[in-house]
Amino acid sequence: MSVNYPQIPEALHKKAEDIFFRYPPEHREAGLVPLMFEAQKVLGFISPETEHWLAEQCHVSLVKVREVLTFYSMMRSAAVGKYLIQYCQNISCCLMGGEAVLAHLEQKLGIHAGQTTPDKLFTLRCVECLGGCSWGPMLLVNEDQYYQLTPAKIDKLIDGFKSGNPVVPDNPTPLLGNVGEVAEA
Amino acid sequence: MSSATGTMRVVSRNFAVPNMAKLDVATKHGAYEMLKRAVKLKPDEVTAIVKASGLRGHGGAGFSAGMKWGFVPKDKFPRYVCVNGDESEPGTCKDRLIFERDPHLMLEGALICAYAVQAERIYIYIRGEYFYPAKVMQAAVDEARAKGFVGENILKSGWSCSAHLATGAGAYICGEETGLLESLEGKKGWPRLKPPFYPAAVGLWGAPTIVNNVETLAFVPRILEMGAEQFAALGSPKNGGTSLFSLSGHVAKPGVYELPMGTPLKSLIYECGGGIPNGRKLKAVIPGGSSSHILKAEECEDLKLDFESVAAAGSMLGSAAVMVIDDTVSIPRLMLWMTRFYAHESCGQCTPCREGTGWLLRLAKKLLDGKGTRKDIDDMYEVADNIDGKTICALGAAVAWPTKSYLVKYRDEFEALVKG
């Protein structure tokens, strides 16, 4: 298999078997979304060759793979920067001043949403609701969450990534409300 | 408010316990004790307890959980349980805390549900953007499997059930239960046509499948612990127990609050949330996530937070995501944020929704750009009205209802944007 698909590392083949194990053997198609995620994690994005590999692995037609790849907003067919910033632009975040913070972030990075910085360090994307509504404005950098953003926090965040000393992410989500300690307003 | 903030932590009771996601800590706090109790009962007895508790779905629709479990056909196997953790409705951010703070509670609830319906597999579907919650949940499943709470012959009951994580990949529509099943099957998340078949009868791969929200299942061990009657007594009539309320927007202390069903909205905003900051006034409330009808401040005076009361006020409790809006907010601008969401998230299957959501967004932008006409306002209403009730799933209504309510209740603000 790996001879035909030199871009697919052996570890990914192994991962595929782990994934298919989660589903009844007659339903290999179910492994498509998780395997696509794994491939994307390793390879950066899903190339046409990888689409072929996915189709073979999951026993589905190529058009099915393309359908899934283009349907889900987190799947990508082109490379992104080292730090993929997903910025929430929905109601709760906007109510908390999210639009002004986004404008500051765009200025700080020197790019607009949808673009990648020339040094390929940052890609900025606006997304619809990240489920951090009580802690907004919020964003994700790769797999880490950052809450209660302000222009000052954005500066610290971006400078931290640039200098190789990233700000500690808000993992886990802080407790606000009566479900834990009530935070000071 | 002390009783609400101090004693009503049912599902969130252990959220602040350090390392609660670790199995040894969780078991010290009683995790899996109710699973032990459940497997000694007959499956139907477990369903009967949940039915008697008045527990209703916390994902949005508010359907009776026990009744749903009872819909599984008696003679069809295999059966599955799918945990709906695709929390994507703007304003809603409570399932995240369960994943991160007490994943074993939800897993125990899912296992009890699986036992009640005699399912052989549990799929925990978490939205793709929940990277950290998914990591915590996966670790919890692995630990539970290693200790025999998941797997073969669970607690020597003769019943076996596996549990697996599945992640979404960025699609709000996969929170719709049949869209979720399609996604889980490896397809784009296009909702299925229904009736006649609901997932409890024809679900994952055509098999009977219970799809329940994360919070709904997290309540199940607590119901077994305190008894159905006591749980039911915590809430209001027809609304058993408590709920996690995601409070966001213009309040001094946003956050997630656990309160009895039927708590007055004003208590949530002013006593829990500390009121509206900066000396501003309450303008409006969105009581149940972005898809619910907006309520003007005067409509919130005596409103109680349960399914029937919010419906009687002309809106819906939905996922209990309360968004508070002060008097500085322009409703046409709110319309832009809301329609942008639905235009992006429409799956494209039904023409009224696919075309209509984009149309609404374009009109909202046009009005805000000062290029709108009075006819555009009327067109927005008509477009929304032509989406409403004409789509396979509820996403159509989810954009139509708020659109119509913004236009009717704040018509003057839209007209003010129109010249002449």
Side-chain angles (χ1 to χ4, degrees):
Chain A
M1 195 70 85
S2 52
V3 177
N4 293 332
Y5 297 98
Q7 84 279 15
I8 306 292
E10 198 49 43
L12 207 49
H13 282 277
K14 260 193 89 175
K15 195 82 203 173
E17 289 316 309
D18 291 346
I19 286 170
F20 294 130
F21 181 72
R22 298 177 205 162
Y23 306 98
E26 65 274 27
H27 297 298
R28 277 176 82 92
E29 183 179 0
L32 180 56
V33 174
L35 189 55
M36 196 180 276
F37 253 128
E38 289 299 330
Q40 183 169 278
K41 208 186 280 181
V42 174
L43 304 166
F45 64 96
I46 306 298
S47 67
E49 294 77 19
T50 307
E51 287 181 54
H52 276 276
W53 178 76
L54 288 162
E56 272 189 19
Q57 288 290 312
C58 301
H59 299 178
V60 294
S61 63
L62 195 56
V63 71
K64 280 269 185 187
V65 176
R66 180 60 62 90
E67 225 176 52
V68 167
L69 176 64
T70 53
F71 182 79
Y72 294 100
S73 64
M74 292 176 74
M75 299 303 184
R76 46 184 190 260
S77 48
V80 292
K82 183 179 176 188
Y83 299 107
L84 173 61
I85 302 175
Q86 299 191 64
Y87 189 89
C88 178
Q89 60 167 355
N90 214 259
I91 298 176
S92 297
C93 285
C94 282
L95 286 174
M96 298 310 286
E99 288 174 321
V101 176
L102 173 64
H104 183 83
L105 177 59
E106 289 183 319
Q107 195 184 25
K108 176 84 183 168
L109 293 172
I111 54 171
H112 289 295
Q115 296 177 329
T116 299
T117 53
D119 60 5
K120 307 267 190 277
L121 205 53
F122 299 100
T123 295
L124 176 61
R125 278 191 183 160
C126 281
V127 293
E128 294 295 341
C129 196
L130 291 169
C133 315
S134 292
W135 303 266
M138 83 161 289
L139 56 74
L140 280 173
V141 180
N142 296 342
E143 299 190 359
D144 290 319
Q145 51 208 30
Y146 296 88
Y147 294 121
Q148 295 173 322
L149 301 169
T150 57
K153 191 163 177 182
I154 289 289
D155 288 344
K156 270 174 86 173
L157 199 62
I158 300 304
D159 292 342
F161 282 115
K162 279 185 177 167
S163 66
N165 295 306
V167 174
V168 178
D170 297 316
N171 303 333
T173 300
L175 290 169
L176 297 178
N178 78 345
V179 297
E181 301 89 4
V182 176
E184 289 305 311
Chain B
M1 212 54 228
S2 57
S3 64
T5 53
T7 62
M8 286 303 170
R9 295 182 202 176
V10 177
V11 76
S12 65
R13 190 167 73 202
N14 296 322
F15 279 10
V17 173
N19 296 315
M20 190 63 196
K22 302 269 183 222
L23 184 62
D24 56 343
V25 177
T27 47
K28 269 183 206 144
H29 286 81
Y32 300 105
E33 289 302 317
M34 293 306 120
L35 177 64
K36 289 176 191 168
R37 189 180 291 181
V39 297
K40 288 185 182 125
L41 299 170
K42 288 187 185 134
D44 285 351
E45 290 174 332
V46 178
T47 301
I49 292 169
V50 174
K51 208 182 274 185
S53 74
L55 175 68
R56 293 172 65 160
H58 288 259
F63 191 77
S64 159
M67 206 180 279
K68 193 188 253 188
W69 297 7
F71 288 159
V72 171
K74 297 278 172 236
D75 53 347
K76 265 181 88 180
F77 290 89
R79 298 165 181 173
Y80 302 106
V81 168
C82 292
V83 181
N84 188 344
D86 192 72
E87 179 172 60
S88 310
E89 171 95 357
T92 314
C93 53
K94 39 95 182 169
D95 293 341
R96 169 192 288 280
L97 289 176
I98 299 173
F99 282 132
E100 294 186 14
R101 298 284 177 171
D102 201 352
H104 289 289
L105 180 68
M106 192 279 286
L107 182 56
E108 184 180 6
L111 285 161
I112 294 169
C113 170
Y115 175 75
V117 302
Q118 291 290 290
E120 64 175 46
R121 279 172 194 261
I122 295 168
Y123 288 102
I124 302 163
Y125 189 99
I126 304 183
R127 64 177 299 188
E129 296 90 343
Y130 274 15
F131 290 103
Y132 181 77
K135 269 182 216 163
V136 179
M137 194 67 230
Q138 181 68 63
V141 170
D142 291 344
E143 273 199 293
R145 187 183 295 122
K147 287 283 180 195
F149 296 119
V150 169
E152 297 294 313
N153 192 16
I154 294 167
L155 300 166
K156 297 186 181 129
S157 64
W159 162 70
S160 300
C161 185
S162 62
H164 311 272
L165 248 69
T167 51
Y172 167 73
I173 198 62
C174 295
E176 196 277 345
E177 60 180 4
T178 61
L180 183 152
L181 295 175
E182 289 286 305
S183 177
L184 202 47
E185 290 180 3
K187 306 166 195 162
K188 55 184 177 179
W190 272 13
R192 296 174 184 172
L193 196 60
K194 53 194 176 308
F197 298 120
Y198 287 93
V202 182
L204 190 62
W205 301 304
T209 305
I210 296 299
V211 185
N212 271 153
N213 163 261
V214 172
E215 184 188 353
T216 313
L217 290 169
F219 272 113
V220 171
R222 298 287 192 252
I223 289 168
L224 264 67
E225 182 187 88
M226 68 172 65
E229 266 181 38
Q230 204 191 328
F231 183 82
L234 290 177
S236 54
K238 296 186 189 170
N239 292 262
T242 58
S243 178
L244 293 177
F245 291 93
S246 315
L247 182 63
S248 67
H250 295 140
V251 284
K253 292 186 284 187
V256 177
Y257 292 86
E258 182 167 3
L259 300 166
M261 295 291 275
T263 297
L265 173 64
K266 289 188 91 174
S267 298
L268 175 64
I269 296 174
Y270 292 99
E271 293 171 49
C272 297
I276 320 292
N278 307 317
R280 292 174 185 158
K281 286 199 177 73
L282 179 68
K283 177 172 184 172
V285 171
I286 299 173
S290 63
S291 57
S292 52
H293 297 74
I294 199 164
L295 295 175
K296 294 178 103 164
E298 54 266 34
E299 294 174 290
C300 299
E301 279 302 312
D302 303 310
L303 186 67
K304 289 197 162 94
L305 291 167
D306 61 42
F307 289 101
E308 280 74 21
S309 305
V310 182
S315 188
M316 61 177 186
L317 188 62
S319 54
V322 177
M323 293 191 266
V324 179
I325 295 154
D326 76 17
D327 56 359
T328 62
V329 177
S330 136
I331 300 299
R333 190 135 201 95
L334 187 71
M335 176 80 91
L336 174 76
W337 302 333
M338 186 273 293
T339 51
R340 188 172 58 200
F341 176 83
Y342 290 100
H344 184 265
E345 297 298 336
S346 175
C347 77
Q349 186 174 194
C350 311
T351 309
C353 178
R354 180 182 66 240
E355 299 296 323
T357 50
W359 196 346
L360 289 175
L361 175 59
R362 288 194 297 278
L363 288 174
K365 276 184 183 160
K366 190 179 170 191
L367 285 162
L368 284 166
D369 285 346
K371 295 173 185 162
T373 63
R374 204 169 287 266
K375 184 174 179 303
D376 289 327
I377 303 171
D378 294 334
D379 282 352
M380 277 190 102
Y381 190 92
E382 203 181 324
V383 170
D385 208 36
N386 275 297
I387 300 172
D388 197 359
K390 297 175 185 70
T391 54
I392 286 172
C393 85
L395 193 140
V399 67
W401 293 348
T403 298
K404 289 198 276 188
S405 70
Y406 296 1
L407 288 168
V408 169
K409 294 183 184 181
Y410 296 95
R411 172 104 190 172
D412 54 331
E413 289 192 32
F414 289 90
E415 289 191 348
L417 295 172
V418 177
K419 290 185 191 111

